[in-house]
Amino acid sequence: MKTVMDASLYPDMQEIKTWLEELNGFGPRYTGNAAHKQSVDWFQAELEKLGLAVSRDRHFFTRWEAKSWGLSIMNEAGSFEAVPVTLYYPYSGETPADGVTGELVYCGKGSANAFQKAAGKIAVVEVANPKLPSRLLFSARSAYPAAAAKTPTFIMNPLLGAVLRGPKLEEAHKAGVLGVICIWNKFSEPNAKGQFLPFTTAHQQCPALWVGKDTGKQLKQAALNKAQARLVLHAEVIPQDSSDTIYAVLPGMHKEETILVNTHTDGPNACEENGGVGLLAMAKYFSRLPLERRNRSIVFVFVTGHFQIPQFGVHGQATTRWLRDHPEQWNGEGGHKRAIAGITLEHLGCKEWRDDRLHEHYSYTGNIEHEFVYTANPAMDRIYLDCVKERTKVRTTTLRPKGSLYFGEGQPLYNAKIPTISLIPTPDYLCAEAEDGFMDRLDLNLMMEQIETFTQVAATLDASPAEELGATEAPAFSVLELFVKTEQ
């Protein structure tokens, strides 16, 4: 049975709004950049205001930061004329400040063989964004309300397009290509704008830019005419830079058991990642309770590295590193505390924006974004569903992982056999930059309701005997994962 909550202990809407605006005010928070460092310091200060002691893990890595970028094509008059670029390709490579110049060569989808003909030139490739059956990605457990939250038949998202169909830039580098221009296909120009994708690759030594489909048509024609182009991606590479994970333990009566509540702190906008605001709100609620009303210790974990996972020495999401570094907080071995459950918050308050069928217009659908929530077993599923049924804004589908296809920072908890409940909506604008950070695409009432739901989930978990929470259920079989491994 879900725990009855004390509404007077929640932060009010104005405080949530203020926290979100302060976080968004730092600007895009890419792993270890100045804005990210400032935001981590701010999270620590806010936790300390609540009376929590904060610990830090410092991680060192080579940071890559774009400083200037652009693309121009030589016109009939013999001068270079700028064309629109949606953004650079993160961690791809870098050019001198004045760029590189070469003939444009169309290389289709960017296979290794295709890049051979672009040696010493600039390759133009198309990224065919897949429209995948959702059953390949998710195994749905439940939906609430049933009609509104029905799992979409197909999933199409810029993140999937970039990860599954992006060019193999390491092959372009081996072939001696000067640079690569990637065309977003089957996405409107507004949807493609500012997409910081893919963000999980290592440095690939080949500078690349993204352009929208309209510019793409122009470039393909220019390549047929063997036009010259200038590609600029001037970036700074900073060896041995640092970025910090922070965490705070709120003690409970029985300190040998913990509940982990995690998110990440790096991201480009007010949606990705605002989970830290949810953690602050939960920390405020539980810190207001007297100790005798907290059964177990709650560990609030704000990890870095989500946007540069390859450099943090782990396979999986960024929280994997924290779990590896702090077994004393969760694994129950040799006198260590045992985590009886985990909660992950990501991408709170999102409205749904989608392209039309022809990918010409991009607009608000009038719906909230589909709330995908991984639950580790049927018992955790029931707890979550019990806590959402009084909400006024809800469109949630609970999921069982398929193979290793578990999106978001809940994955490491699940892999560590900790029973989890993980929120992971995936709006199209999740990884895009915008001047206002997409504050206008967030619904504060929805965000507040989601925070209250997961605070109630945490309270219910805290009040439940560990044996009633069940064990982590094995993932469902994944045909897509088998296919990807075969392709590799």
Side-chain angles (χ1 to χ4, degrees):
M1 177 180 289
K2 65 183 178 183
T3 299
V4 176
M5 307 300 286
D6 184 345
S8 69
L9 301 183
Y10 287 119
D12 60 28
M13 179 72 75
Q14 184 56 50
E15 188 164 17
I16 297 294
K17 183 174 184 288
T18 298
W19 278 336
L20 183 61
E21 289 174 341
E22 289 186 12
L23 177 63
N24 187 55
F26 295 116
R29 301 168 301 284
Y30 298 124
T31 309
N33 73 359
H36 186 220
K37 286 181 167 70
Q38 291 165 4
S39 71
V40 173
D41 290 343
W42 173 78
F43 276 124
Q44 175 166 346
E46 292 299 317
L47 288 166
E48 289 173 344
K49 288 178 187 177
L50 300 175
L52 278 68
V54 178
S55 299
R56 280 194 180 230
D57 294 340
R58 178 147 294 176
H59 302 289
F60 294 93
F61 69 111
T62 298
R63 186 164 66 84
W64 183 98
E65 183 173 352
K67 295 296 184 180
S68 61
W69 56 92
L71 179 65
S72 54
I73 303 174
M74 185 173 288
N75 59 26
E76 293 180 356
S79 59
F80 283 99
E81 186 174 332
V83 296
V85 170
T86 62
L87 201 65
Y88 54 88
Y89 191 117
Y91 317 114
S92 55
E94 50 280 335
T95 71
D98 58 352
V100 293
T101 301
E103 179 187 322
L104 289 173
V105 179
Y106 178 65
C107 292
K109 296 179 181 179
S111 67
N113 290 338
F115 282 132
Q116 297 298 322
K117 63 182 180 182
K121 301 175 183 179
I122 295 174
V124 177
V125 303
E126 298 192 69
V127 177
N129 294 288
K131 189 175 183 180
L132 295 176
S134 59
R135 59 185 171 79
L136 295 180
L137 301 169
F138 310 129
S139 178
R141 291 188 190 273
S142 309
Y144 186 84
K150 183 181 178 182
T151 306
T153 305
F154 293 97
I155 301 290
M156 192 175 187
N157 187 285
L159 176 59
L160 290 175
V163 172
L164 297 178
R165 293 292 183 262
K168 298 184 183 301
L169 294 182
E170 64 275 13
E171 297 295 339
H173 171 67
K174 290 178 185 176
V177 175
L178 295 178
V180 176
I181 304 165
C182 307
I183 303 169
W184 283 112
N185 272 336
K186 294 186 179 179
F187 281 104
S188 67
E189 292 281 350
N191 198 351
K193 184 178 180 181
Q195 294 284 355
F196 184 89
L197 288 170
F199 60 80
T200 56
T201 61
H203 188 275
Q204 297 181 78
Q205 303 182 68
C206 182
L209 302 173
W210 287 99
V211 300
K213 61 177 184 175
D214 294 341
T215 300
K217 291 177 185 177
Q218 180 182 355
L219 291 175
K220 288 166 66 176
Q221 183 59 50
L224 287 175
N225 297 332
K226 299 185 177 181
Q228 293 285 309
R230 178 176 294 142
L231 185 157
V232 176
L233 179 49
H234 182 48
E236 185 177 9
V237 180
I238 308 99
Q240 286 296 294
D241 204 345
S242 64
S243 187
D244 294 353
T245 284
I246 62 172
Y247 65 99
V249 180
L250 183 63
M253 291 293 290
H254 303 289
K255 296 181 176 61
E256 70 278 7
E257 291 186 335
T258 60
I259 296 171
L260 305 184
V261 185
N262 72 314
T263 191
H264 64 93
T265 53
D266 34 0
N269 55 50
C271 163
E272 171 78 293
E273 182 49 70
N274 63 23
V277 171
L279 268 62
L280 288 180
M282 292 176 69
K284 183 161 190 174
Y285 182 93
F286 287 107
S287 66
R288 288 173 158 183
L289 291 173
L291 177 62
E292 59 269 19
R293 290 180 60 189
R294 297 194 303 267
N295 186 27
R296 299 170 172 108
S297 296
I298 303 176
V299 186
F300 297 98
V301 187
F302 300 68
V303 299
T304 185
H306 186 84
F307 271 68
Q308 192 42 205
I309 288 170
Q311 293 203 62
F312 281 72
V314 296
H315 296 286
Q317 299 288 334
T319 301
T320 306
R321 179 64 184 267
W322 184 85
L323 291 173
R324 191 185 76 182
D325 292 346
H326 295 284
E328 75 281 359
Q329 297 292 347
W330 68 273
N331 77 357
E333 299 175 4
H336 293 168
K337 301 171 186 177
R338 180 171 73 98
I340 58 95
I343 295 171
T344 305
L345 292 187
E346 297 185 65
H347 322 152
L348 297 162
C350 301
K351 299 177 184 176
E352 183 181 65
W353 280 62
R354 291 287 186 270
D355 277 350
D356 64 5
R357 187 174 58 85
L358 298 177
H359 306 292
E360 295 293 338
H361 302 287
Y362 182 52
S363 62
Y364 175 42
T365 67
N367 291 324
I368 65 171
E369 184 61 49
H370 210 114
E371 299 171 296
F372 291 119
V373 178
Y374 286 105
T375 54
N377 58 46
M380 299 294 275
D381 201 60
R382 285 192 297 272
I383 288 172
Y384 173 72
L385 291 174
D386 281 346
C387 293
V388 301
K389 289 181 179 177
E390 294 179 5
R391 279 184 26 197
T392 64
K393 295 190 174 189
V394 59
R395 188 187 178 204
T396 194
T397 298
T398 59
L399 308 172
R400 179 184 175 188
K402 275 207 163 184
S404 63
L405 299 175
Y406 189 127
F407 299 104
E409 289 295 337
Q411 180 205 52
L413 307 185
Y414 174 83
N415 288 348
K417 308 299 183 185
I418 300 169
T420 55
I421 300 175
S422 309
L423 176 69
I424 185 74
T426 54
D428 280 7
Y429 53 86
L430 178 64
C431 298
E433 291 186 10
E435 286 186 13
D436 68 349
F438 295 126
M439 284 288 290
D440 62 325
R441 298 185 189 181
L442 298 185
D443 182 328
L444 287 174
N445 290 302
L446 170 62
M447 187 172 185
M448 190 75 179
E449 288 194 8
Q450 289 170 328
I451 288 170
E452 291 176 357
T453 290
F454 280 90
T455 305
Q456 188 170 38
V457 165
T460 302
L461 294 171
D462 188 43
S464 301
E467 58 271 17
E468 291 184 5
L469 303 181
T472 298
E473 193 175 35
F477 175 72
S478 170
V479 174
L480 178 62
E481 187 175 36
L482 181 64
F483 171 76
V484 171
K485 286 181 179 178
T486 302
E487 288 289 293
Q488 293 174 342

